Amino acid sequence: MASKAVQPTALAPDAPRPLPRLHSPRPPSPADWIPVVSIPVECQADHFHQAILELVRHPEQSSSTILRADILADEDDSTTSTPQMDGYRCVRRVRRQILPNRPQFDWAMEQECLFYDSDDDGSLDTRNGTESLVVLLPDCDQLERDRGERRLPYYHPQVYALAFRYLSGHSGTSSTLRIDLVPLPSQPMTAPLPPNDRLFRTAQMLAKYAAKICNGQAAGYQKRIHHDLLVGRTAVQDTYQRLKDKYQTDLDSLTPSPRITFRWMLNSWQESTDATKHVFEDVAIAAWLVVYWARVYAHAGGKPPGGFVDVGCGNGLLVYILASEGYAGYGFDLRERKSWTTYTSPRPDLRVQSLNPVELISAQTLPASSGQPADAWPFPRDSFLIFNHADEMTPWCPLLAALTPGDDVGFLNIPCCLHELVGRFERQTYSIPAPFLASLPEPQSPPTVASRGAESLPADLSPLLLPFYAASPLSYISGNGKAKPKANSSAGVSAPSILGGRYHAYQLYLAHLTLRCGFVPAREALRIPSTKNFGLVGGRSGDSPGPTGQDPDEIREQVAELVREVQLRGEWKARRPEGKAGDKQGH
């Protein structure tokens, strides 16, 4: 594999193996290709095709100014309208629409992505090896139809065409990845491009990134993080953008009282924490919840029938956004934040409150053991629980959800600090006992790209392993690609050795608790600006993660047993609310 230190090399105007002109049906006829940069790669032509296809599908991975690409067409055969090149044949045509990350500054653009292989008709000199290439052609005609001008957006290189080329090695030499371009007719340029030119720097970056993917494909790289397993990427991103646009709009002049906007939040943030991180993280979580709820609560108008409860709501921004979007619910924390009084129109339900789960659960499962009345349950029937970085309350989420009445109870648990039911979680590995796996439903087919926007996943994974496939459970994939436990699988599912680490082991610990509480856990890699971005989800309705089929009395006994284990290890002490609220609240 090529060293990470290898940098692209600038090419001379007369670099060998020049590309022939495109025979494009669209006028004007383009100029000659200009060679820009090259970099050695250790891969074959099929690895190159797969790598550039990944880059075509996910341009946002190489540019922060791009939101995503929507694939409009993907055809294996060339068409008569495909630009022809002497010595090459078009083997695949992908048409995509690129969406900007900042639509207030940039605009969407359609593009043809044409995959070519060298032809065998003898018109191409292949004495130095074969060649494959991918040509990217922005559709300027579409821009003129939609916008009235042919100007390319900022995120796209200002060129008529850009080519990724794979030149195979000869006589033991390394293969080469190379980038050539055709300048815009309105912006002629001469080669070589100056090193400080933006277009040259862009070509350098693209060459390095494409080489990295090519070498990874050749080394057998497998994607470890799979997003969008529970809801589609497009729906979440579009909702996120809608929320950003809504709260960025300054409505002060349109309403009698000032309205909270992103502009205000970022410039007048009341907390000592990073405004940029918290504002956009809470908006991203809200967007995910809105889309997820629309699917799992479709029978209830897309909203949790019992509302939501944000446990440890902190600055309260997530509660405010959800309330502004018409969702009923409340949040509570140990102390009031400065931001709470600034949220208006509507004013969210934010409370200063502490929670002692041991006392609460004991009152529900063992009424005689506590003087607290059994009807003092803080979570409404059919409510949705949100535990976002809830510290020591994190592992109690599935227990509290299990005892919340109703068939539509669900939860989103985003762990940060690693706490067990008592004390810190210190283990580097964790195994889920085999009996819990044996009680799971039959394996399900993974969600498809068309239905959910998820990446393709191996078949024959159990409902537990499927959402946790982001951890790449290699111990369960045999040589023929079928899911197969290792010989010692009777011990249960543990964190794969290639990952290790307490954070992943902790997620398996939380999954085990979730199973003990009667839910099948699912894991979603949330698109939020946080290093701790995995959410564990549980629910009881529809095709969301659901119950394991255990009897409700058995679940209550499981939860009661967990509490007894806590009581045997030592008293669990709830933190008291701060300020005057702490004097009024007895728990």
Side-chain angles (χ1 to χ4, degrees):
M1 180 180 296
S3 170
K4 293 181 179 179
V6 174
Q7 299 294 320
T9 301
L11 295 173
D14 58 349
R17 303 174 73 170
L19 279 174
R21 281 192 172 190
L22 282 168
H23 299 303
S24 176
R26 299 180 306 172
S29 178
D32 292 327
W33 290 91
I34 295 177
V36 186
V37 293
S38 68
I39 187 171
V41 290
E42 300 290 343
C43 69
Q44 302 298 321
D46 57 338
H47 302 134
F48 166 80
H49 273 286
Q50 288 301 316
I52 305 304
L53 182 61
E54 174 74 10
L55 187 60
V56 165
R57 289 173 172 169
H58 299 286
E60 71 278 3
Q61 294 178 357
S62 62
S63 174
S64 61
T65 58
I66 295 176
L67 177 65
R68 69 171 185 270
D70 290 341
I71 304 302
L72 306 179
D74 190 346
E75 303 169 346
D76 290 335
D77 299 323
S78 61
T79 64
T80 56
S81 61
T82 300
Q84 303 300 310
M85 300 181 68
D86 295 337
Y88 300 87
R89 67 183 187 281
C90 184
V91 296
R92 188 169 192 170
R93 168 186 172 266
V94 177
R95 186 174 181 86
R96 64 178 179 174
Q97 182 184 50
I98 305 176
L99 302 177
N101 202 25
R102 300 186 302 169
Q104 65 272 32
F105 298 111
D106 262 336
W107 49 92
M109 183 198 71
E110 294 184 16
Q111 186 186 62
E112 294 284 339
C113 308
L114 307 174
F115 292 70
Y116 294 87
D117 280 335
S118 54
D119 210 337
D120 297 327
D121 61 1
S123 60
L124 191 68
D125 185 358
T126 59
R127 287 174 296 178
N128 292 323
T130 59
E131 176 175 349
S132 294
L133 75 148
V134 179
V135 176
L136 307 183
L137 287 170
D139 191 340
C140 295
D141 294 339
Q142 170 262 322
L143 288 174
E144 187 168 25
R145 289 193 304 270
D146 294 349
R147 295 180 48 83
E149 60 177 347
R150 303 172 71 87
R151 185 161 62 95
L152 297 174
Y154 176 83
Y155 59 76
H156 191 279
Q158 303 298 297
V159 296
Y160 179 92
L162 186 143
F164 291 89
R165 304 179 63 185
Y166 171 80
L167 308 176
S168 65
H170 182 67
S171 302
T173 60
S174 296
S175 299
T176 300
L177 187 146
R178 173 169 154 177
I179 290 183
D180 292 28
L181 62 84
V182 177
L184 288 168
S186 60
Q187 299 180 21
M189 59 184 69
T190 58
L193 299 180
N196 61 346
D197 186 270
R198 176 173 175 257
L199 189 54
F200 180 82
R201 296 197 307 271
T202 299
Q204 276 189 313
M205 180 275 297
L206 288 173
K208 289 171 60 177
Y209 185 73
K212 177 182 177 181
I213 306 178
C214 287
N215 293 329
Q217 289 284 342
Y221 168 80
Q222 292 185 353
K223 189 177 180 69
R224 286 171 52 177
I225 304 299
H226 290 274
H227 294 80
D228 315 310
L229 297 179
L230 301 179
V231 294
R233 176 182 67 161
T234 299
V236 173
Q237 287 184 333
D238 289 349
T239 303
Y240 175 71
Q241 191 62 53
R242 178 181 65 79
L243 292 177
K244 281 207 309 181
D245 291 343
K246 177 178 179 180
Y247 294 101
Q248 277 178 334
T249 303
D250 188 353
L251 300 179
D252 289 358
S253 61
L254 303 180
T255 58
S257 60
R259 174 173 176 165
I260 304 299
T261 64
F262 279 163
R263 185 180 307 169
W264 180 92
M265 294 176 193
L266 295 175
N267 296 331
S268 304
W269 188 242
Q270 301 293 306
E271 311 298 335
S272 59
T273 52
D274 181 6
T276 303
K277 176 184 184 299
H278 283 276
V279 167
F280 294 109
E281 179 174 325
D282 285 348
V283 173
I285 294 173
W288 189 90
L289 285 170
V290 167
V291 177
Y292 179 72
W293 287 343
R295 181 171 67 84
V296 300
Y297 295 124
H299 60 285
K303 299 179 180 180
F308 67 88
V309 181
D310 188 350
V311 177
C313 62
N315 57 56
L317 180 56
L318 178 60
V319 178
Y320 167 73
I321 294 173
L322 292 174
S324 298
E325 293 302 302
Y327 296 89
Y330 72 93
F332 65 86
D333 210 310
L334 290 170
R335 65 180 175 88
E336 181 178 349
R337 302 300 202 272
K338 296 178 181 178
S339 300
W340 288 12
T341 58
T342 64
Y343 301 137
T344 58
S345 303
R347 186 172 296 279
D349 187 352
L350 298 169
R351 310 173 186 179
V352 177
Q353 181 180 337
S354 178
L355 202 66
N356 189 321
V358 175
E359 290 185 3
L360 282 171
I361 293 173
S362 295
Q364 290 286 319
T365 58
L366 301 172
S369 68
S370 173
Q372 183 177 1
D375 60 355
W377 195 250
F379 305 105
R381 183 181 186 86
D382 290 322
S383 58
F384 189 94
L385 283 56
I386 302 171
F387 283 63
N388 178 19
H389 297 178
D391 297 335
E392 71 271 19
M393 291 300 302
T394 297
W396 292 93
C397 174
L399 282 74
L400 296 170
L403 297 185
T404 299
D407 295 330
D408 284 324
V409 174
F411 64 83
L412 170 64
N413 196 2
I414 307 175
C416 180
C417 301
L418 279 56
H419 292 274
E420 294 194 40
L421 292 175
V422 176
R424 297 279 296 180
F425 183 90
E426 301 291 350
R427 285 167 277 190
Q428 294 295 319
T429 61
Y430 190 86
S431 296
I432 298 176
F436 285 97
L437 304 180
S439 67
L440 290 172
E442 290 297 316
Q444 300 172 345
S445 299
T448 63
V449 174
S451 63
R452 300 281 180 82
E455 305 293 342
S456 63
L457 299 175
D460 302 329
L461 292 175
S462 76
L464 175 63
L465 291 183
L466 173 60
F468 280 80
Y469 186 73
S472 187
L474 299 182
S475 58
Y476 284 80
I477 304 300
S478 63
N480 62 4
K482 296 293 185 180
K484 182 178 72 173
K486 295 173 69 173
N488 61 353
S489 65
S490 60
V493 173
S494 62
S497 59
I498 61 166
L499 277 182
R502 285 194 303 147
Y503 187 57
H504 184 261
Y506 184 58
Q507 293 175 62
L508 288 174
Y509 164 75
L510 294 178
H512 183 196
L513 285 178
T514 302
L515 283 165
R516 292 188 69 173
C517 294
F519 298 106
V520 174
R523 186 175 80 160
E524 185 80 297
L526 302 171
R527 299 177 183 275
I528 58 177
S530 174
T531 56
K532 301 295 189 295
N533 65 335
F534 286 108
L536 275 74
V537 182
R540 293 176 179 164
S541 63
D543 59 350
S544 64
T548 57
Q550 293 175 260
D551 182 85
D553 291 336
E554 293 180 2
I555 295 174
R556 293 177 69 86
E557 178 55 33
Q558 283 279 352
V559 175
E561 176 60 28
L562 287 168
V563 173
R564 286 193 290 269
E565 293 173 6
V566 170
Q567 292 171 327
L568 288 174
R569 292 180 59 184
E571 182 182 358
W572 195 93
K573 294 183 180 180
R575 287 189 281 174
R576 292 174 63 85
E578 300 179 15
K580 296 180 180 180
D583 300 329
K584 298 178 181 179
Q585 189 168 320
H587 66 274

